[in-house]
Amino acid sequence: MEDASPGVLGFGPGRRYVGVTGGEEDALEGSLGDLAQLTVTNEADASYDQISSTKENFRKTWTAKYTLRSHFDGVRALCFHPQEQTLITASEDATLKLWNLQKTVPAKKSASLDVEPVYTFRGHLGPVLCLAMNSDGEKCYSGGIDGTIRIWNIPSSNIDPYDSYEPIVVGGNLSGHTDAVWGLTFHSQRHHLLSCAADSTVRLWSPDSRSPLLYTYAVEKDGVPTSVDFVYESTNQFVCSFNTANCVIFDLETGKPVTRLDTEPDQGSNSLNRQINRVVSHPTLPLTITGHEDRHIRFWDNNSGRLVQSMVAHLDSVTSLAVDPNGLYLLSGSHDCSIRLWQLDSKQCVQEITAHRKKFDESIFDVAFHPSKPFIASAGADALAKVFV
C-alpha cells in the first residue's frame, strides 16, 4: 500500500509533527499555570452559553476503576455498548476486543479492577484505527490501515473466552477505500455509517443493504480527512476535518460544502501544527468542536462558520474529543497523558485525570462517554484502556 499522509502508521491524526524544544516546553508549562488558568478564550458568543447545567449526572469526581489489559500495542479506539456494561477496543496489534465490565479480577497493589477480554476479533491486516457501533449494540464496524471497514456481529458479553471460534461473528466488510480508514461514525436514526480515509474521500454507507455504498465524497482539495461526524442538529449534513486545519460542513445528498469553518491560520502560525485531529458535533446545538495539534480546542458556529471560542486545553496535541449524551460536558484526551472534563456552558475544566503513560511521544488516542450509564473511558498508546466511574 502506498504511503499517504496521514495514512502512515504513527503519522496520522494525533501524531505530533512539530517538535517543541526544551526551553519552549518549560516556558509553555510555566505560562499555563494551574488548571483554572488553562482556558484562553476568544470573545464568546452568548448564544452557546445557554446550555442548561441542571443535570448533574456527570458533575462528579471520576476515578479509575477498570483497567483493560490484553492488547499488545497501542489502543487506537474504543466504543461502549448503548445499554450494557460492555465495550469494544481496537488496537495497533490488528485486533479488536470485547470487554464485560462485570467480569473482573482484583488488580495487584491497586484499588482498581483488571478486566479480561471475553472475545477477540481478528481479520484486519495491520493496525485498527477507528470504531463505531450501531444503535442496538448488535454490530460493530472497524476501520484499519489496510483500507477496509469490517463488520462484526457482537457475541454475547457472557460468552466463555475459551469457547471455540464463532464464524458468525464475522459479518463481512465494506470495500471502497484504498488507504487507511481514519474515522467512522454511525447515525442511530438513519442507520448510516460515515467513513473518512487517507485516500482523500469520505464515504456514506448503508451497512445492511445489498449495495452498501451510498455516496463517495471527493474532498481532496481540502486535504486528507482526519475525522468525520454527522451534524446531529441538522438532518442532512456532516462535518469533516483535515490535516490542513480546514474543517467543512457538507450536504449529505449533494456532497457540496454548506459552511466552511473559518480556520484560516493565525499570523505566523503553521497550519500543519494546527492540524485538526478530531471533530465532534454537538448533539443538540449548531456547534462544532475541534481538537488540534497546537493544543487548542475550538468551538464553531455551524450557521456562520465563525469561531465562537478558542482555548489552550492541554500541554500537548489534543487527540480526541467526546460530548456526553446530554450535551453538557466535553471530554478531551491528549498526548500530555491527561484526559480533561469540561463544562460546556462555562468552558471550564472541572477535572483532570492523568490516565496513561507515554510511548515514544504519544499517549491518549481516544476518549468516550457511555451512552446510557455513568462511565467514561480512555484508550492509550501504552496498550491499555481505562474505564472511570
mmCIF file with all atom_site columns, all heavy atoms in Angstrom, residues 153-174:
data_model
loop_
_atom_site.group_PDB
_atom_site.id
_atom_site.type_symbol
_atom_site.label_atom_id
_atom_site.label_alt_id
_atom_site.label_comp_id
_atom_site.label_asym_id
_atom_site.label_entity_id
_atom_site.label_seq_id
_atom_site.pdbx_PDB_ins_code
_atom_site.Cartn_x
_atom_site.Cartn_y
_atom_site.Cartn_z
_atom_site.occupancy
_atom_site.B_iso_or_equiv
_atom_site.pdbx_formal_charge
_atom_site.auth_seq_id
_atom_site.auth_comp_id
_atom_site.auth_asym_id
_atom_site.auth_atom_id
_atom_site.pdbx_PDB_model_num
ATOM 1   N N   . ASN A 1 153 ? -20.528 -9.053  14.018 1.00 0.00 ? 153 ASN A N   1
ATOM 2   C CA  . ASN A 1 153 ? -21.713 -9.355  14.818 1.00 0.00 ? 153 ASN A CA  1
ATOM 3   C C   . ASN A 1 153 ? -21.238 -9.633  16.242 1.00 0.00 ? 153 ASN A C   1
ATOM 4   O O   . ASN A 1 153 ? -20.529 -10.612 16.469 1.00 0.00 ? 153 ASN A O   1
ATOM 5   C CB  . ASN A 1 153 ? -22.446 -10.571 14.248 1.00 0.00 ? 153 ASN A CB  1
ATOM 6   C CG  . ASN A 1 153 ? -22.959 -10.312 12.842 1.00 0.00 ? 153 ASN A CG  1
ATOM 7   O OD1 . ASN A 1 153 ? -23.658 -9.342  12.597 1.00 0.00 ? 153 ASN A OD1 1
ATOM 8   N ND2 . ASN A 1 153 ? -22.593 -11.186 11.908 1.00 0.00 ? 153 ASN A ND2 1
ATOM 9   N N   . ILE A 1 154 ? -21.593 -8.740  17.156 1.00 0.00 ? 154 ILE A N   1
ATOM 10  C CA  . ILE A 1 154 ? -21.031 -8.806  18.504 1.00 0.00 ? 154 ILE A CA  1
ATOM 11  C C   . ILE A 1 154 ? -21.615 -9.991  19.265 1.00 0.00 ? 154 ILE A C   1
ATOM 12  O O   . ILE A 1 154 ? -22.839 -10.099 19.399 1.00 0.00 ? 154 ILE A O   1
ATOM 13  C CB  . ILE A 1 154 ? -21.301 -7.491  19.260 1.00 0.00 ? 154 ILE A CB  1
ATOM 14  C CG1 . ILE A 1 154 ? -20.677 -6.311  18.497 1.00 0.00 ? 154 ILE A CG1 1
ATOM 15  C CG2 . ILE A 1 154 ? -20.742 -7.555  20.682 1.00 0.00 ? 154 ILE A CG2 1
ATOM 16  C CD1 . ILE A 1 154 ? -21.031 -4.958  19.057 1.00 0.00 ? 154 ILE A CD1 1
ATOM 17  N N   . PRO A 1 155 ? -20.770 -10.893 19.770 1.00 0.00 ? 155 PRO A N   1
ATOM 18  C CA  . PRO A 1 155 ? -21.289 -12.033 20.540 1.00 0.00 ? 155 PRO A CA  1
ATOM 19  C C   . PRO A 1 155 ? -21.791 -11.589 21.913 1.00 0.00 ? 155 PRO A C   1
ATOM 20  O O   . PRO A 1 155 ? -21.551 -10.453 22.337 1.00 0.00 ? 155 PRO A O   1
ATOM 21  C CB  . PRO A 1 155 ? -20.076 -12.959 20.662 1.00 0.00 ? 155 PRO A CB  1
ATOM 22  C CG  . PRO A 1 155 ? -18.900 -12.055 20.555 1.00 0.00 ? 155 PRO A CG  1
ATOM 23  C CD  . PRO A 1 155 ? -19.309 -10.922 19.658 1.00 0.00 ? 155 PRO A CD  1
ATOM 24  N N   . SER A 1 156 ? -22.470 -12.478 22.597 1.00 0.00 ? 156 SER A N   1
ATOM 25  C CA  . SER A 1 156 ? -22.950 -12.182 23.947 1.00 0.00 ? 156 SER A CA  1
ATOM 26  C C   . SER A 1 156 ? -21.769 -11.839 24.847 1.00 0.00 ? 156 SER A C   1
ATOM 27  O O   . SER A 1 156 ? -20.697 -12.456 24.772 1.00 0.00 ? 156 SER A O   1
ATOM 28  C CB  . SER A 1 156 ? -23.689 -13.396 24.509 1.00 0.00 ? 156 SER A CB  1
ATOM 29  O OG  . SER A 1 156 ? -23.809 -13.294 25.916 1.00 0.00 ? 156 SER A OG  1
ATOM 30  N N   . SER A 1 157 ? -21.974 -10.869 25.739 1.00 0.00 ? 157 SER A N   1
ATOM 31  C CA  . SER A 1 157 ? -20.894 -10.483 26.656 1.00 0.00 ? 157 SER A CA  1
ATOM 32  C C   . SER A 1 157 ? -20.652 -11.551 27.717 1.00 0.00 ? 157 SER A C   1
ATOM 33  O O   . SER A 1 157 ? -19.689 -11.476 28.475 1.00 0.00 ? 157 SER A O   1
ATOM 34  C CB  . SER A 1 157 ? -21.223 -9.147  27.322 1.00 0.00 ? 157 SER A CB  1
ATOM 35  O OG  . SER A 1 157 ? -22.462 -9.237  27.996 1.00 0.00 ? 157 SER A OG  1
ATOM 36  N N   . ASN A 1 158 ? -21.528 -12.555 27.766 1.00 0.00 ? 158 ASN A N   1
ATOM 37  C CA  . ASN A 1 158 ? -21.342 -13.656 28.721 1.00 0.00 ? 158 ASN A CA  1
ATOM 38  C C   . ASN A 1 158 ? -20.716 -14.884 28.064 1.00 0.00 ? 158 ASN A C   1
ATOM 39  O O   . ASN A 1 158 ? -20.701 -15.966 28.639 1.00 0.00 ? 158 ASN A O   1
ATOM 40  C CB  . ASN A 1 158 ? -22.689 -14.040 29.346 1.00 0.00 ? 158 ASN A CB  1
ATOM 41  C CG  . ASN A 1 158 ? -23.225 -12.931 30.228 1.00 0.00 ? 158 ASN A CG  1
ATOM 42  O OD1 . ASN A 1 158 ? -22.497 -12.384 31.051 1.00 0.00 ? 158 ASN A OD1 1
ATOM 43  N ND2 . ASN A 1 158 ? -24.482 -12.570 30.034 1.00 0.00 ? 158 ASN A ND2 1
ATOM 44  N N   . ILE A 1 159 ? -20.201 -14.694 26.847 1.00 0.00 ? 159 ILE A N   1
ATOM 45  C CA  . ILE A 1 159 ? -19.549 -15.800 26.138 1.00 0.00 ? 159 ILE A CA  1
ATOM 46  C C   . ILE A 1 159 ? -18.340 -16.284 26.944 1.00 0.00 ? 159 ILE A C   1
ATOM 47  O O   . ILE A 1 159 ? -17.681 -15.496 27.638 1.00 0.00 ? 159 ILE A O   1
ATOM 48  C CB  . ILE A 1 159 ? -19.130 -15.332 24.724 1.00 0.00 ? 159 ILE A CB  1
ATOM 49  C CG1 . ILE A 1 159 ? -18.689 -16.515 23.861 1.00 0.00 ? 159 ILE A CG1 1
ATOM 50  C CG2 . ILE A 1 159 ? -18.041 -14.286 24.776 1.00 0.00 ? 159 ILE A CG2 1
ATOM 51  C CD1 . ILE A 1 159 ? -18.466 -16.135 22.393 1.00 0.00 ? 159 ILE A CD1 1
ATOM 52  N N   . ASP A 1 160 ? -18.062 -17.568 26.874 1.00 0.00 ? 160 ASP A N   1
ATOM 53  C CA  . ASP A 1 160 ? -16.882 -18.119 27.539 1.00 0.00 ? 160 ASP A CA  1
ATOM 54  C C   . ASP A 1 160 ? -15.658 -17.787 26.687 1.00 0.00 ? 160 ASP A C   1
ATOM 55  O O   . ASP A 1 160 ? -15.598 -18.145 25.513 1.00 0.00 ? 160 ASP A O   1
ATOM 56  C CB  . ASP A 1 160 ? -17.019 -19.641 27.661 1.00 0.00 ? 160 ASP A CB  1
ATOM 57  C CG  . ASP A 1 160 ? -15.898 -20.247 28.496 1.00 0.00 ? 160 ASP A CG  1
ATOM 58  O OD1 . ASP A 1 160 ? -14.772 -19.693 28.477 1.00 0.00 ? 160 ASP A OD1 1
ATOM 59  O OD2 . ASP A 1 160 ? -16.141 -21.267 29.157 1.00 0.00 ? 160 ASP A OD2 1
ATOM 60  N N   . PRO A 1 161 ? -14.669 -17.076 27.253 1.00 0.00 ? 161 PRO A N   1
ATOM 61  C CA  . PRO A 1 161 ? -13.483 -16.705 26.461 1.00 0.00 ? 161 PRO A CA  1
ATOM 62  C C   . PRO A 1 161 ? -12.745 -17.911 25.876 1.00 0.00 ? 161 PRO A C   1
ATOM 63  O O   . PRO A 1 161 ? -11.991 -17.765 24.916 1.00 0.00 ? 161 PRO A O   1
ATOM 64  C CB  . PRO A 1 161 ? -12.602 -15.956 27.455 1.00 0.00 ? 161 PRO A CB  1
ATOM 65  C CG  . PRO A 1 161 ? -13.494 -15.568 28.577 1.00 0.00 ? 161 PRO A CG  1
ATOM 66  C CD  . PRO A 1 161 ? -14.597 -16.580 28.630 1.00 0.00 ? 161 PRO A CD  1
ATOM 67  N N   . TYR A 1 162 ? -12.960 -19.090 26.466 1.00 0.00 ? 162 TYR A N   1
ATOM 68  C CA  . TYR A 1 162 ? -12.242 -20.273 25.998 1.00 0.00 ? 162 TYR A CA  1
ATOM 69  C C   . TYR A 1 162 ? -13.069 -21.123 25.039 1.00 0.00 ? 162 TYR A C   1
ATOM 70  O O   . TYR A 1 162 ? -12.645 -22.201 24.645 1.00 0.00 ? 162 TYR A O   1
ATOM 71  C CB  . TYR A 1 162 ? -11.787 -21.107 27.210 1.00 0.00 ? 162 TYR A CB  1
ATOM 72  C CG  . TYR A 1 162 ? -10.889 -20.301 28.121 1.00 0.00 ? 162 TYR A CG  1
ATOM 73  C CD1 . TYR A 1 162 ? -11.376 -19.787 29.311 1.00 0.00 ? 162 TYR A CD1 1
ATOM 74  C CD2 . TYR A 1 162 ? -9.568  -20.007 27.757 1.00 0.00 ? 162 TYR A CD2 1
ATOM 75  C CE1 . TYR A 1 162 ? -10.570 -19.009 30.133 1.00 0.00 ? 162 TYR A CE1 1
ATOM 76  C CE2 . TYR A 1 162 ? -8.763  -19.240 28.572 1.00 0.00 ? 162 TYR A CE2 1
ATOM 77  C CZ  . TYR A 1 162 ? -9.258  -18.744 29.750 1.00 0.00 ? 162 TYR A CZ  1
ATOM 78  O OH  . TYR A 1 162 ? -8.462  -17.971 30.552 1.00 0.00 ? 162 TYR A OH  1
ATOM 79  N N   . ASP A 1 163 ? -14.263 -20.625 24.687 1.00 0.00 ? 163 ASP A N   1
ATOM 80  C CA  . ASP A 1 163 ? -15.051 -21.339 23.680 1.00 0.00 ? 163 ASP A CA  1
ATOM 81  C C   . ASP A 1 163 ? -14.343 -21.308 22.336 1.00 0.00 ? 163 ASP A C   1
ATOM 82  O O   . ASP A 1 163 ? -13.479 -20.459 22.079 1.00 0.00 ? 163 ASP A O   1
ATOM 83  C CB  . ASP A 1 163 ? -16.436 -20.690 23.524 1.00 0.00 ? 163 ASP A CB  1
ATOM 84  C CG  . ASP A 1 163 ? -17.412 -21.191 24.577 1.00 0.00 ? 163 ASP A CG  1
ATOM 85  O OD1 . ASP A 1 163 ? -17.017 -22.088 25.339 1.00 0.00 ? 163 ASP A OD1 1
ATOM 86  O OD2 . ASP A 1 163 ? -18.541 -20.679 24.649 1.00 0.00 ? 163 ASP A OD2 1
ATOM 87  N N   . SER A 1 164 ? -14.763 -22.181 21.441 1.00 0.00 ? 164 SER A N   1
ATOM 88  C CA  . SER A 1 164 ? -14.149 -22.217 20.110 1.00 0.00 ? 164 SER A CA  1
ATOM 89  C C   . SER A 1 164 ? -14.567 -21.000 19.294 1.00 0.00 ? 164 SER A C   1
ATOM 90  O O   . SER A 1 164 ? -15.522 -20.294 19.628 1.00 0.00 ? 164 SER A O   1
ATOM 91  C CB  . SER A 1 164 ? -14.550 -23.502 19.380 1.00 0.00 ? 164 SER A CB  1
ATOM 92  O OG  . SER A 1 164 ? -15.955 -23.582 19.306 1.00 0.00 ? 164 SER A OG  1
ATOM 93  N N   . TYR A 1 165 ? -13.867 -20.789 18.210 1.00 0.00 ? 165 TYR A N   1
ATOM 94  C CA  . TYR A 1 165 ? -14.087 -19.645 17.325 1.00 0.00 ? 165 TYR A CA  1
ATOM 95  C C   . TYR A 1 165 ? -15.527 -19.631 16.800 1.00 0.00 ? 165 TYR A C   1
ATOM 96  O O   . TYR A 1 165 ? -16.086 -20.665 16.446 1.00 0.00 ? 165 TYR A O   1
ATOM 97  C CB  . TYR A 1 165 ? -13.101 -19.746 16.162 1.00 0.00 ? 165 TYR A CB  1
ATOM 98  C CG  . TYR A 1 165 ? -13.374 -18.811 15.013 1.00 0.00 ? 165 TYR A CG  1
ATOM 99  C CD1 . TYR A 1 165 ? -13.184 -17.440 15.153 1.00 0.00 ? 165 TYR A CD1 1
ATOM 100 C CD2 . TYR A 1 165 ? -13.805 -19.302 13.787 1.00 0.00 ? 165 TYR A CD2 1
ATOM 101 C CE1 . TYR A 1 165 ? -13.428 -16.587 14.089 1.00 0.00 ? 165 TYR A CE1 1
ATOM 102 C CE2 . TYR A 1 165 ? -14.045 -18.456 12.715 1.00 0.00 ? 165 TYR A CE2 1
ATOM 103 C CZ  . TYR A 1 165 ? -13.859 -17.094 12.876 1.00 0.00 ? 165 TYR A CZ  1
ATOM 104 O OH  . TYR A 1 165 ? -14.103 -16.248 11.827 1.00 0.00 ? 165 TYR A OH  1
ATOM 105 N N   . GLU A 1 166 ? -16.139 -18.429 16.763 1.00 0.00 ? 166 GLU A N   1
ATOM 106 C CA  . GLU A 1 166 ? -17.507 -18.280 16.279 1.00 0.00 ? 166 GLU A CA  1
ATOM 107 C C   . GLU A 1 166 ? -17.494 -17.646 14.890 1.00 0.00 ? 166 GLU A C   1
ATOM 108 O O   . GLU A 1 166 ? -17.341 -16.434 14.758 1.00 0.00 ? 166 GLU A O   1
ATOM 109 C CB  . GLU A 1 166 ? -18.296 -17.379 17.240 1.00 0.00 ? 166 GLU A CB  1
ATOM 110 C CG  . GLU A 1 166 ? -18.653 -18.017 18.568 1.00 0.00 ? 166 GLU A CG  1
ATOM 111 C CD  . GLU A 1 166 ? -19.880 -18.914 18.455 1.00 0.00 ? 166 GLU A CD  1
ATOM 112 O OE1 . GLU A 1 166 ? -20.586 -18.834 17.430 1.00 0.00 ? 166 GLU A OE1 1
ATOM 113 O OE2 . GLU A 1 166 ? -20.106 -19.709 19.374 1.00 0.00 ? 166 GLU A OE2 1
ATOM 114 N N   . PRO A 1 167 ? -17.687 -18.426 13.822 1.00 0.00 ? 167 PRO A N   1
ATOM 115 C CA  . PRO A 1 167 ? -17.619 -17.830 12.480 1.00 0.00 ? 167 PRO A CA  1
ATOM 116 C C   . PRO A 1 167 ? -18.717 -16.805 12.213 1.00 0.00 ? 167 PRO A C   1
ATOM 117 O O   . PRO A 1 167 ? -18.554 -15.913 11.386 1.00 0.00 ? 167 PRO A O   1
ATOM 118 C CB  . PRO A 1 167 ? -17.757 -19.044 11.539 1.00 0.00 ? 167 PRO A CB  1
ATOM 119 C CG  . PRO A 1 167 ? -18.276 -20.152 12.383 1.00 0.00 ? 167 PRO A CG  1
ATOM 120 C CD  . PRO A 1 167 ? -17.864 -19.884 13.785 1.00 0.00 ? 167 PRO A CD  1
ATOM 121 N N   . ILE A 1 168 ? -19.839 -16.898 12.968 1.00 0.00 ? 168 ILE A N   1
ATOM 122 C CA  . ILE A 1 168 ? -20.943 -15.962 12.735 1.00 0.00 ? 168 ILE A CA  1
ATOM 123 C C   . ILE A 1 168 ? -20.569 -14.535 13.133 1.00 0.00 ? 168 ILE A C   1
ATOM 124 O O   . ILE A 1 168 ? -21.208 -13.568 12.725 1.00 0.00 ? 168 ILE A O   1
ATOM 125 C CB  . ILE A 1 168 ? -22.200 -16.431 13.505 1.00 0.00 ? 168 ILE A CB  1
ATOM 126 C CG1 . ILE A 1 168 ? -23.436 -15.711 12.981 1.00 0.00 ? 168 ILE A CG1 1
ATOM 127 C CG2 . ILE A 1 168 ? -22.040 -16.214 15.011 1.00 0.00 ? 168 ILE A CG2 1
ATOM 128 C CD1 . ILE A 1 168 ? -24.738 -16.249 13.513 1.00 0.00 ? 168 ILE A CD1 1
ATOM 129 N N   . VAL A 1 169 ? -19.509 -14.385 13.934 1.00 0.00 ? 169 VAL A N   1
ATOM 130 C CA  . VAL A 1 169 ? -19.076 -13.051 14.358 1.00 0.00 ? 169 VAL A CA  1
ATOM 131 C C   . VAL A 1 169 ? -18.634 -12.204 13.163 1.00 0.00 ? 169 VAL A C   1
ATOM 132 O O   . VAL A 1 169 ? -18.848 -10.991 13.130 1.00 0.00 ? 169 VAL A O   1
ATOM 133 C CB  . VAL A 1 169 ? -17.941 -13.172 15.406 1.00 0.00 ? 169 VAL A CB  1
ATOM 134 C CG1 . VAL A 1 169 ? -17.269 -11.834 15.641 1.00 0.00 ? 169 VAL A CG1 1
ATOM 135 C CG2 . VAL A 1 169 ? -18.506 -13.720 16.709 1.00 0.00 ? 169 VAL A CG2 1
ATOM 136 N N   . VAL A 1 170 ? -18.021 -12.825 12.175 1.00 0.00 ? 170 VAL A N   1
ATOM 137 C CA  . VAL A 1 170 ? -17.533 -12.085 11.005 1.00 0.00 ? 170 VAL A CA  1
ATOM 138 C C   . VAL A 1 170 ? -18.715 -11.750 10.100 1.00 0.00 ? 170 VAL A C   1
ATOM 139 O O   . VAL A 1 170 ? -19.385 -12.634 9.574  1.00 0.00 ? 170 VAL A O   1
ATOM 140 C CB  . VAL A 1 170 ? -16.484 -12.904 10.236 1.00 0.00 ? 170 VAL A CB  1
ATOM 141 C CG1 . VAL A 1 170 ? -16.007 -12.142 9.003  1.00 0.00 ? 170 VAL A CG1 1
ATOM 142 C CG2 . VAL A 1 170 ? -15.319 -13.246 11.145 1.00 0.00 ? 170 VAL A CG2 1
ATOM 143 N N   . GLY A 1 171 ? -18.989 -10.450 9.943  1.00 0.00 ? 171 GLY A N   1
ATOM 144 C CA  . GLY A 1 171 ? -20.158 -10.025 9.179  1.00 0.00 ? 171 GLY A CA  1
ATOM 145 C C   . GLY A 1 171 ? -19.835 -9.456  7.818  1.00 0.00 ? 171 GLY A C   1
ATOM 146 O O   . GLY A 1 171 ? -20.659 -8.776  7.207  1.00 0.00 ? 171 GLY A O   1
ATOM 147 N N   . GLY A 1 172 ? -18.615 -9.687  7.320  1.00 0.00 ? 172 GLY A N   1
ATOM 148 C CA  . GLY A 1 172 ? -18.251 -9.157  6.001  1.00 0.00 ? 172 GLY A CA  1
ATOM 149 C C   . GLY A 1 172 ? -17.480 -7.856  6.109  1.00 0.00 ? 172 GLY A C   1
ATOM 150 O O   . GLY A 1 172 ? -17.105 -7.426  7.207  1.00 0.00 ? 172 GLY A O   1
ATOM 151 N N   . ASN A 1 173 ? -17.235 -7.229  4.965  1.00 0.00 ? 173 ASN A N   1
ATOM 152 C CA  . ASN A 1 173 ? -16.549 -5.940  5.001  1.00 0.00 ? 173 ASN A CA  1
ATOM 153 C C   . ASN A 1 173 ? -17.096 -4.997  3.946  1.00 0.00 ? 173 ASN A C   1
ATOM 154 O O   . ASN A 1 173 ? -17.795 -5.400  3.023  1.00 0.00 ? 173 ASN A O   1
ATOM 155 C CB  . ASN A 1 173 ? -15.028 -6.096  4.899  1.00 0.00 ? 173 ASN A CB  1
ATOM 156 C CG  . ASN A 1 173 ? -14.595 -6.789  3.632  1.00 0.00 ? 173 ASN A CG  1
ATOM 157 O OD1 . ASN A 1 173 ? -15.240 -6.663  2.592  1.00 0.00 ? 173 ASN A OD1 1
ATOM 158 N ND2 . ASN A 1 173 ? -13.501 -7.526  3.709  1.00 0.00 ? 173 ASN A ND2 1
ATOM 159 N N   . LEU A 1 174 ? -16.796 -3.712  4.130  1.00 0.00 ? 174 LEU A N   1
ATOM 160 C CA  . LEU A 1 174 ? -17.222 -2.663  3.215  1.00 0.00 ? 174 LEU A CA  1
ATOM 161 C C   . LEU A 1 174 ? -15.993 -2.225  2.432  1.00 0.00 ? 174 LEU A C   1
ATOM 162 O O   . LEU A 1 174 ? -15.061 -1.651  2.994  1.00 0.00 ? 174 LEU A O   1
ATOM 163 C CB  . LEU A 1 174 ? -17.820 -1.488  3.993  1.00 0.00 ? 174 LEU A CB  1
ATOM 164 C CG  . LEU A 1 174 ? -19.011 -1.827  4.901  1.00 0.00 ? 174 LEU A CG  1
ATOM 165 C CD1 . LEU A 1 174 ? -19.405 -0.624  5.747  1.00 0.00 ? 174 LEU A CD1 1
ATOM 166 C CD2 . LEU A 1 174 ? -20.202 -2.300  4.083  1.00 0.00 ? 174 LEU A CD2 1
#
